[in-house]
Amino acid sequence: MAPTNQDSVSQYPDGHYGALSAEQQEALDKFKSLVAERGYSDYEQATPAHEIKLLRFLRARRWDVEAAYTQFDDTEKWRSANEIDKLYETIDTEAFKELRTLYPQWVGRRDRTGAPVYVWRPQSLTGSIVAGSEKLASKPEFSKAKTDGKTTASLICFAALYENLLRFTQPLSTQLVDRKHAEVPITLSTYIMDVSGVSVLQFWSLKNHLHTLAFLASAYYPETLGTIFIVGAPPFFSTVFGWIKGWLDPVTVSKIRIVGRDDVLSSLEEIVEKCHIPKQYGGELEYNFGDAPALDPALKDTFTWAGEYSSLPLAPLIWEPVEGSPDKVACLRVGSDNGQTVRETVCTIPQGWRVAEQNGSCPPFSTRILSAEKETEATQQSDVLKLLPLVYRNESGDPCHFIDNVQAVIDLELDLSQPALLMRWLWMTSSPATPPPLHNHIMIDRQISLMERLDMHLVWTARRTFIKPMPRFLLEPAFWTEYLHDGFPSGNRPQATGFSRSVSIPNIAWDTAADIYFPPNFDESKKYPLVLSAHPIGSCKEQTSGNVYGKAMAEAGVVPRFVENPEFSVADFRVVVDYAETLPYVDSERIGVLGICGGGGYALNAAMTDYRLKCTIGITPVNFGLLAREGFAQFNPTGTLEAIAKQRTFEAQGAERSVLQYLPPTVDEAKKMTTNPDVSEATEYYKTDRGRAANGCTSGLLSYNSSALAWDAFNHAEMLMTKPFMVVVGGMPGSFGAYRDALEVHGRAASKEKEVVVLPGVSHYSLYDKPESVKPALEKVIPFLKKHLSKVA
């Protein structure tokens, strides 16, 4: 069984070496033990390479250890029977070049995660060409490896090219540390499959061959494919894709994206930077299918060429450690020329990945820009600190020596707190645009002035432009490794205890205000479950839904939102889900909702009509329609509607609006007016420092109350309330009806997974913020959310 807190298809780098959850690590440990027990003695002392390989099978089998072992065992037996390692290391070079022109080719670039990008145009692949390649693979000079006599020649050909991915491009990409998560080895690849110009007859003639290739990828090379973009699809391709889906495992199918003609560039740019996308797909890279890899300059800069080599040969290549130089790895050309095996060094590169893995962080580059001799490194701390300014000014403006507080210097040098505050208002001045180059400023007579403050960089006035020169310490890789963990100075790092952010979401009539509460150690590249948290009637997002339940859910690893409009509260949920779907760190398949008091009734109602909400929590939920009819209207809803009708007419004629105060102004007044515990406790919460907030007005306009009188939170629950839900109420029923309403919705709902939690001795308002009440509620709520917002394989 898969660990329940992970997606069935992991979001990078979740589930990869160096980024495992506790459950995934436990599965890997079990897998290693099982493999060693069943005869693979090399795995008794598993190396990182062993673990990286095993993790591919675990991800492919969704963390089912036995299923992963079965596939691993089948693969190892197949590799041994067909001598796959020997096949690749002795394949005829000319045969390798010929096969390369038929199948996916590395363009020499990487995607945003650092994985290699491949392009394939099967238009040139015909039945006769496939037959010719199979004939080529049957010749004695093709390779010195033996086969099992059962594996087809076409599989053998494709396997040789797959080995190039595993033994050359992925290891090369792994060693380059100019990427996020540089401590995680690269085991995936991004593919652009261009099917333009391929006829239905050609697809039909290649059907068996494509099936064979899909079988090889799924069976013997699992979890080596990342996103697969299919571009240029003709109208009949849906039929072809129906065949393909049947040949691949569900995990691989989920990675395929068929892209329309107008969306090619925008879709590719989600994964690959424009400069690494070939021009025929809207990018900037000069590359055509069949060309030699157009190497990224960042790659070239890492190569130290050997002998007469100045570029990568179109031949089988592998990477091996350099004897006597543990900080380097060597690229070797292998294969055979005219029957003679070849094994010669092409180049060496720095051993970047193991350093990143050991340090847990790394610089975004490895070339020492400040040094003429690239082999010399500033390894001594004194050398690194010489790059800092001699003195700096603290927050009070007093000069200080840097040696007293290195981190303070860094935080001040890289401080962007002021621009961060201004960002949300910049839309009022102009549209987002790239700053013009400095010579443009000079041409219009602006003076260029140097500044020490980063937050003044590229700020300009009518006659002056400010720039901050690049601090020298940012150009030294050793400084990044020592002081800039994961690229963040200490003051700008995501907080270990979680943090929040306010947003404004466009709605039909007005914007919806929301606070986003992030979990501890938040990583924007990962996918998180999300819970919408709705506050009580007359309350606001800063009160119980945010500072109590929202914070608790964030600490448990979900990302909350806060919603309510006076009339469109249920519609707000849909608007906020729409917004959440645009956030890269939100998993759209794991969105739930939690509401308190009237917000709980709204949440339950929203879940009946928006099935993107996978589960619902009602904390002391109130059916506001019933409360309006019985409580606020004093069991006389028709009389109240008459009063509302008259008030609306008055207001239309220019009269002042009538504002209803739902609560007495003070606790003493509440005790004098009523013995109703809900009213007195509500007044204590909203009218004292316990829960008082600027926007928690506990009031409303009489003329806007008519819709509430005709509304029922649980209408059609017998038919539409099908998603899992939990309602939590106190064992001390109050006059606002939460206890009754919770039992009612539980009894009426069609859902097969529903639960009522009654907490003895707990009142309605103690569930807002009292630790002795909130704690047992959360002990039920958090496991429920984790159960229903986690994907189980």
Side-chain angles (χ1 to χ4, degrees):
M1 187 68 73
T4 59
N5 66 336
Q6 295 294 328
D7 294 341
S8 58
V9 181
S10 294
Q11 300 296 330
Y12 186 83
D14 292 355
H16 290 250
Y17 183 88
L20 301 180
S21 67
E23 295 94 334
Q24 291 168 341
Q25 184 62 54
E26 182 180 359
L28 175 59
D29 292 340
K30 289 180 180 178
F31 193 18
K32 286 191 295 185
S33 298
L34 184 65
V35 167
E37 289 170 4
R38 295 186 181 177
Y40 293 93
S41 57
D42 291 349
Y43 287 79
E44 290 179 0
Q45 299 294 327
T47 65
H50 287 136
E51 294 187 358
I52 292 166
K53 183 176 183 178
L54 293 179
L55 283 169
R56 289 198 293 109
F57 290 91
L58 280 172
R59 292 197 304 273
R61 297 298 99 194
R62 300 184 179 183
W63 304 92
D64 184 323
V65 173
E66 279 293 342
Y69 175 79
T70 298
Q71 185 176 12
F72 169 81
D73 186 50
D74 290 344
T75 299
E76 291 301 294
K77 289 176 179 176
W78 172 79
R79 292 183 66 87
S80 176
N82 291 282
E83 298 184 329
I84 298 299
D85 289 336
K86 190 174 185 179
L87 162 71
Y88 182 66
E89 294 185 20
T90 63
I91 189 173
D92 181 73
T93 301
E94 294 304 315
F96 180 85
K97 290 180 182 178
E98 186 173 336
L99 291 174
R100 178 186 170 277
T101 63
L102 304 179
Y103 296 108
Q105 299 173 6
W106 180 45
V107 303
R109 302 302 173 98
R110 297 166 294 148
D111 66 18
R112 295 182 186 275
T113 69
V117 176
Y118 280 74
V119 170
W120 185 26
R121 294 204 64 192
Q123 183 181 14
S124 60
L125 199 63
T126 64
S128 59
I129 290 177
V130 170
S133 66
E134 291 179 344
K135 185 176 180 180
L136 178 68
S138 301
K139 294 181 179 180
E141 60 270 23
F142 179 74
S143 171
K144 299 184 184 301
K146 298 178 181 178
T147 68
D148 57 9
K150 298 180 290 184
T151 301
T152 64
S154 59
L155 267 183
I156 293 296
C157 291
F158 201 49
L161 298 175
Y162 238 116
E163 289 297 304
N164 186 257
L165 168 69
L166 264 63
R167 302 187 66 179
F168 174 66
T169 53
Q170 285 182 344
L172 170 59
S173 302
T174 292
Q175 296 300 342
L176 298 171
V177 296
D178 59 340
R179 56 187 171 92
K180 197 171 186 180
H181 307 298
E183 73 280 4
V184 177
I186 297 296
T187 57
L188 298 175
S189 50
T190 293
Y191 279 76
I192 303 171
M193 182 176 175
D194 185 351
V195 296
S196 58
V198 184
S199 68
V200 66
L201 292 177
Q202 186 176 356
F203 272 120
W204 182 257
S205 68
L206 293 172
K207 183 178 179 182
N208 291 335
H209 183 62
L210 294 174
H211 188 184
T212 299
L213 302 186
F215 168 78
L216 179 83
S218 291
Y220 300 138
Y221 295 93
E223 279 296 291
T224 54
L225 301 176
T227 305
I228 305 164
F229 294 97
I230 297 180
V231 302
F236 60 81
F237 189 75
S238 58
T239 301
V240 176
F241 188 57
W243 307 338
I244 296 173
K245 287 196 296 186
W247 304 333
L248 299 171
D249 63 87
V251 174
T252 302
V253 171
S254 70
K255 300 176 181 180
I256 298 175
R257 294 175 57 178
I258 301 177
V259 181
R261 181 179 59 185
D262 297 333
D263 301 322
V264 172
L265 179 60
S266 60
S267 298
L268 291 175
E269 279 193 294
E270 294 175 17
I271 308 294
V272 187
E273 292 184 30
K274 189 174 183 179
C275 59
H276 300 321
I277 299 173
K279 284 188 173 181
Q280 57 266 42
Y281 308 118
E284 301 172 349
L285 178 64
E286 290 284 358
Y287 177 85
N288 293 302
F289 184 71
D291 291 351
L295 290 181
D296 184 341
L299 292 172
K300 289 182 180 179
D301 289 345
T302 66
F303 292 164
T304 300
W305 300 106
E308 297 181 357
Y309 284 104
S310 59
S311 63
L312 294 174
L314 295 179
L317 303 169
I318 63 174
W319 294 95
E320 287 189 352
V322 177
E323 187 175 352
S325 299
D327 59 338
K328 295 180 181 179
V329 288
C331 172
L332 304 182
R333 179 196 163 193
V334 293
S336 297
D337 288 348
N338 299 319
Q340 299 295 315
T341 56
V342 177
R343 194 176 184 87
E344 57 189 25
T345 301
V346 175
C347 64
T348 60
I349 62 172
Q351 172 90 295
W353 172 63
R354 291 318 304 267
V355 174
E357 182 208 9
Q358 291 161 8
N359 292 345
S361 62
C362 60
F365 52 88
S366 56
T367 302
R368 296 196 62 241
I369 302 170
L370 295 178
S371 174
E373 299 180 11
K374 294 182 180 179
E375 296 300 316
T376 303
E377 295 187 1
T379 55
Q380 298 297 320
Q381 187 182 38
S382 59
D383 295 333
V384 172
L385 296 182
K386 288 177 182 177
L387 301 173
L388 290 170
L390 182 62
V391 295
Y392 74 97
R393 294 188 181 274
N394 61 21
E395 295 180 355
S396 302
D398 300 325
C400 302
H401 195 274
F402 75 85
I403 202 66
D404 296 330
N405 192 341
V406 174
Q407 194 63 57
V409 180
I410 299 171
D411 291 344
L412 286 173
E413 283 281 303
L414 305 182
D415 181 27
L416 287 173
S417 57
Q418 290 300 316
L421 292 174
L422 293 173
M423 278 296 293
R424 63 182 299 182
W425 306 109
L426 292 182
W427 63 271
M428 294 189 293
T429 61
S430 65
S431 317
T434 304
L438 289 180
H439 69 262
N440 283 19
H441 293 262
I442 296 172
M443 289 171 62
I444 58 176
D445 294 329
R446 285 194 182 124
Q447 180 182 346
I448 305 299
S449 299
L450 301 183
M451 291 289 291
E452 292 184 2
R453 292 172 49 185
L454 182 61
D455 57 11
M456 290 294 291
H457 183 59
L458 293 182
V459 173
W460 63 79
T461 64
R463 292 299 176 196
R464 181 170 297 189
T465 297
F466 302 99
I467 64 169
K468 174 180 172 60
M470 175 74 77
R472 295 177 71 242
F473 62 79
L474 289 183
L475 302 177
E476 173 53 59
F479 195 95
W480 282 78
T481 301
E482 180 70 21
Y483 292 105
L484 296 175
H485 176 76
D486 290 341
F488 287 98
S490 64
N492 295 330
R493 258 177 246 157
Q495 300 172 26
T497 56
F499 59 105
S500 64
R501 179 185 302 156
S502 296
V503 296
S504 182
I505 303 169
N507 207 328
I508 297 172
W510 48 70
D511 286 356
T512 296
D515 289 342
I516 309 175
Y517 279 67
F518 295 88
N521 302 311
F522 172 75
D523 184 342
E524 192 162 347
S525 68
K526 295 182 179 180
K527 292 283 188 180
Y528 292 84
L530 175 146
V531 175
L532 313 181
S533 180
H535 53 73
I537 298 297
S539 182
C540 64
K541 59 186 173 60
E542 286 79 17
Q543 291 167 320
T544 175
S545 64
N547 60 11
V548 178
Y549 291 93
K551 182 180 179 182
M553 287 184 293
E555 290 173 353
V558 295
V559 184
R561 301 285 186 281
F562 302 89
V563 296
E564 187 177 79
N565 274 330
E567 289 193 282
F568 306 119
S569 296
V570 174
D572 272 358
F573 287 91
R574 303 186 189 99
V575 171
V576 176
V577 174
D578 293 343
Y579 173 76
E581 298 272 13
T582 70
L583 301 176
Y585 47 80
V586 170
D587 184 344
S588 60
E589 293 299 317
R590 295 192 289 164
I591 299 178
V593 60
L594 178 148
I596 300 126
C597 187
Y602 290 149
L604 290 161
N605 185 271
M608 286 197 283
T609 55
D610 193 334
Y611 282 7
R612 294 175 296 177
L613 300 171
K614 305 303 182 185
C615 67
T616 307
I617 299 287
I619 301 292
T620 193
V622 169
N623 182 346
F624 185 49
L626 194 58
L627 176 63
R629 291 187 291 274
E630 296 181 354
F632 299 150
Q634 295 293 299
F635 292 91
N636 184 19
T638 55
T640 302
L641 287 170
E642 290 284 358
I644 291 172
K646 291 177 182 178
Q647 179 63 30
R648 288 190 73 97
T649 300
F650 293 153
E651 291 178 6
Q653 294 171 349
E656 291 186 4
R657 290 181 172 180
S658 175
V659 179
L660 298 175
Q661 297 297 333
Y662 296 137
L663 295 173
T666 66
V667 176
D668 289 341
E669 288 292 326
K671 291 178 179 178
K672 291 177 183 178
M673 292 173 56
T674 180
T675 58
N676 186 328
D678 274 357
V679 174
S680 59
E681 287 190 29
T683 306
E684 181 191 351
Y685 180 80
Y686 286 110
K687 302 298 185 179
T688 71
D689 290 341
R690 173 184 164 194
R692 181 164 43 206
N695 296 317
C697 56
T698 63
S699 59
L701 296 174
L702 172 62
S703 54
Y704 279 78
N705 268 4
S706 55
S707 59
L709 292 166
W711 187 76
D712 187 335
F714 311 139
N715 195 29
H716 300 304
E718 298 87 348
M719 179 188 303
L720 302 178
M721 191 67 180
T722 60
K723 298 294 183 180
F725 72 90
M726 170 187 283
V727 285
V728 181
V729 292
M732 300 171 60
S735 61
F736 288 175
Y739 185 91
R740 173 197 60 188
D741 294 344
L743 296 179
E744 179 185 348
V745 70
H746 180 266
R748 291 175 58 183
S751 175
K752 295 181 180 178
E753 296 184 74
K754 51 187 178 180
E755 185 176 350
V756 173
V757 176
V758 179
L759 301 175
V762 171
S763 67
H764 180 91
Y765 282 95
S766 66
L767 276 168
Y768 277 34
D769 64 340
K770 296 290 187 182
E772 64 272 18
S773 300
V774 172
K775 184 175 183 292
L778 289 173
E779 287 173 351
K780 296 290 186 179
V781 167
I782 298 299
F784 182 89
L785 290 173
K786 287 188 174 182
K787 174 184 177 182
H788 293 288
L789 298 184
S790 296
K791 291 189 176 181
V792 183

